[in-house]
Amino acid sequence: MVGKENLRTEDLNLCFEKLMMLVDGGGDGIDVGAKGVKMDGGVIAGWKDIPMELLLQIISLVDDRTVIVASGVCCGWRDAICFGLTHLSLSWCKKNMNNLVLSLAPKFAKLQTLILRQDKPQLADDAVETIASYCHDLQVLDLRKSSKLSDLSLYALAHGCPDLVKLNISGCTAFSDTALAYLASYCRKLKVLNLCSCVKAASDTALQAIGQYCNSLQSVNLGWCENVSDVGVMSLAYGCRDLRTLDLCGCVLITDDSVIAMANMCPHLRSLGLYYCQNITDRAMYSLAHSCIKHKPTKWGTTGKGKNDDDGLRTLNISQCTALTPPAVQAVCDSFPALHTCSGRHSLIMSGCLNLMSVHCACAVQAHRAPSAFPYPAH
C-alpha cells in the first residue's frame, strides 16, 4: 500500500452508502431499493458487487494514488484494475518511487502511458528493467530527471518496449550516445523524443542513428545538448521528413547549414527553437523565408492543400541570435502569417536582440495604423 494507507471495510461501506444517496432517483435502468441499487444487470448490495465496467468508470474519475489503493481492496478489484488500467502517473510520489514501480509494474502489465517525473532522482535501473519486462504495450514513458539511470535502462526499453511512441528522458545525464543509438534501432515508432540536457547521449552519432531508424519522428527537443553539431541535425532533417517541432536552444555548435537543411527537407516544420545559437546568420533566415515558397502547393495541388495562416512556421525563437539583421528576420515574418510580434500573441521570440526591434508582424503594423485609418468622424 501507498504510505501504509489501507481501506477498511467500514470505510468502503460508508462510501457505498454515499453512492446510494447520490444515485437515489437516478436515471434509466437504475432503481434504488432497501437492499441496494438495482440495475439492468442485477442488484448492487455492497461495494464488492460493483461490475468491472462500472468500477473502471469510477476509477477513471479519481486520482492515481486512489487507483493504487483501490487495486489492493480485494482480488476482484485488483484483477479489474490491473486488466483495465492503461494510464498511470506516479509523479506525486516524492519518496520510494523506485519500490513503488517494482511493486506495481508486474500488476499493471496493460499500461500504455506511464509518467514518472521526479523533482529529485529516485528511479534506479531495476525499476525500468521491471517496466520493460512486463509493460510491453507501453507507448508513452516519461523519465524526466532520472539522473540515476544508466545505459542498462535504455537497453532494457529497447528490447521490452519496442512500441514506444513518446519518450522523455530529459535530464537523464548518465545515458551514453551508444545506448541511445541502440534504443533508436529498436524503437522505430517514436514520434516525440525529449533529450533536453542529455549532453552525453545526444551526440551526432546518436542523431545519425535516430535519423536512420526513427523516420516517423515529429518532435525532438535537443535543448542544451552542447555536443550536437550540423552533422547530427542534418541527419534528422534528411531522415525525419515529418518533423514538426525542433528545439535547438543552446546548441552552440550549429550553423546556418542546420537551419537550411530543415527548411529544405522538413515541409511540415511548425516550431523551431534557436535560442542562443549565435552562429545563425541572415542566410538561415532567408532560407526559411524561401521555404515558404518552395513548399507552397501548385495550382494543380501536387503538394497539398492551399496556403493558409496555419501552414508553415507558427513559432520561432531566435533570442540571443545577435548576428541577425532586421531585413532577414522581417522576410521570415512576412512569409509566415502565423508568426506574431504583437502583444499577447508572441510567437516570433526575439529577446536580447535589440537590433531587431523594428521587425513587426502584419497585424502589429495594422494595429499601429488603426488610429489614423479613419481620420474624420462618420456622419
Side-chain angles (χ1 to χ4, degrees):
M1 290 301 172
V2 181
K4 297 182 180 179
E5 293 179 275
N6 202 343
L7 283 180
R8 297 175 301 172
T9 302
E10 300 81 24
D11 297 328
L12 292 167
N13 289 334
L14 180 59
C15 291
F16 182 76
E17 290 175 5
K18 291 181 178 180
L19 177 63
M20 299 305 97
M21 296 174 62
L22 288 173
V23 301
D24 192 6
D28 296 339
I30 300 178
D31 179 29
V32 180
K35 296 184 178 180
V37 179
K38 184 177 181 181
M39 304 180 67
D40 291 336
V43 176
I44 302 177
W47 52 267
K48 292 182 180 179
D49 300 321
I50 297 178
M52 183 178 74
E53 295 80 4
L54 178 57
L55 174 62
L56 292 177
Q57 289 185 25
I58 295 173
I59 289 299
S60 69
L61 301 176
V62 300
D63 59 75
D64 292 299
R65 189 195 302 253
T66 304
V67 171
I68 295 171
V69 174
S71 68
V73 168
C74 63
C75 294
W77 280 30
R78 181 198 63 199
D79 294 343
I81 293 174
C82 292
F83 179 80
L85 190 67
T86 58
H87 296 69
L88 181 66
S89 173
L90 301 181
S91 298
W92 49 267
C93 184
K94 305 304 180 184
K95 295 181 180 180
N96 300 319
M97 181 187 286
N98 200 76
N99 291 334
L100 189 58
V101 172
L102 291 173
S103 172
L104 296 179
K107 302 175 184 177
F108 299 150
K110 298 295 184 180
L111 283 178
Q112 296 178 12
T113 298
L114 181 57
I115 309 300
L116 301 174
R117 300 172 187 168
Q118 303 147 79
D119 295 327
K120 296 180 180 179
Q122 301 183 56
L123 289 182
D125 289 323
D126 58 347
V128 178
E129 289 172 334
T130 302
I131 292 169
S133 296
Y134 291 94
C135 304
H136 301 302
D137 296 332
L138 203 60
Q139 297 180 19
V140 178
L141 179 61
D142 191 335
L143 297 172
R144 186 181 310 178
K145 293 186 178 181
S146 300
S147 57
K148 290 183 178 181
L149 299 181
S150 74
D151 289 349
L152 293 175
S153 291
L154 292 188
Y155 290 133
L157 290 173
H159 290 287
C161 304
D163 292 330
L164 279 175
V165 174
K166 183 176 181 179
L167 177 63
N168 186 343
I169 54 174
S170 60
C172 297
T173 53
F175 292 151
S176 71
D177 57 349
T178 303
L180 181 57
Y182 188 85
L183 176 83
S185 69
Y186 282 85
C187 300
R188 302 189 180 194
K189 298 179 182 180
L190 279 172
K191 290 187 176 182
V192 180
L193 183 59
N194 191 335
L195 301 173
C196 183
S197 299
C198 294
V199 180
K200 290 173 58 180
S203 68
D204 290 338
T205 301
L207 294 184
Q208 286 175 316
I210 291 170
Q212 178 181 355
Y213 297 114
C214 303
N215 306 129
S216 299
L217 266 179
Q218 296 182 355
S219 176
V220 182
N221 188 336
L222 295 171
W224 307 106
C225 295
E226 300 173 354
N227 295 325
V228 171
S229 74
D230 292 332
V231 174
V233 177
M234 292 173 69
S235 297
L236 286 180
Y238 283 91
C240 309
R241 303 286 299 275
D242 199 30
L243 267 179
R244 315 292 178 92
T245 300
L246 179 63
D247 193 342
L248 297 171
C249 295
C251 296
V252 295
L253 298 180
I254 69 166
T255 70
D256 294 335
D257 291 342
S258 290
V259 180
I260 292 172
M262 284 292 161
N264 291 335
M265 305 306 299
C266 301
H268 304 297
L269 192 64
R270 298 294 177 262
S271 178
L272 180 61
L274 298 172
Y275 173 80
Y276 211 76
C277 297
Q278 297 189 328
N279 293 324
I280 300 299
T281 71
D282 289 351
R283 182 166 160 256
M285 295 297 102
Y286 284 120
S287 177
L288 286 173
H290 180 71
S291 72
C292 176
I293 301 173
K294 178 180 178 180
H295 299 309
K296 187 175 182 178
T298 67
K299 65 179 180 179
W300 304 109
T302 56
T303 60
K305 298 180 180 179
K307 189 73 177 175
N308 59 61
D309 286 2
D310 290 332
D311 290 330
L313 280 176
R314 301 175 190 173
T315 305
L316 177 62
N317 188 343
I318 51 174
S319 299
Q320 302 296 333
C321 296
T322 53
L324 300 177
T325 66
V329 178
Q330 188 65 60
V332 176
C333 194
D334 292 343
S335 298
F336 300 104
L339 290 178
H340 293 280
T341 61
C342 51
S343 178
R345 302 180 67 184
H346 282 105
S347 54
L348 176 56
I349 307 167
M350 304 177 290
S351 302
C353 299
L354 297 179
N355 61 318
L356 300 180
M357 293 183 65
S358 62
V359 176
H360 293 290
C361 61
C363 56
V365 174
Q366 292 173 358
H368 179 72
R369 294 175 178 172
S372 59
F374 300 98
Y376 303 105
H379 296 286

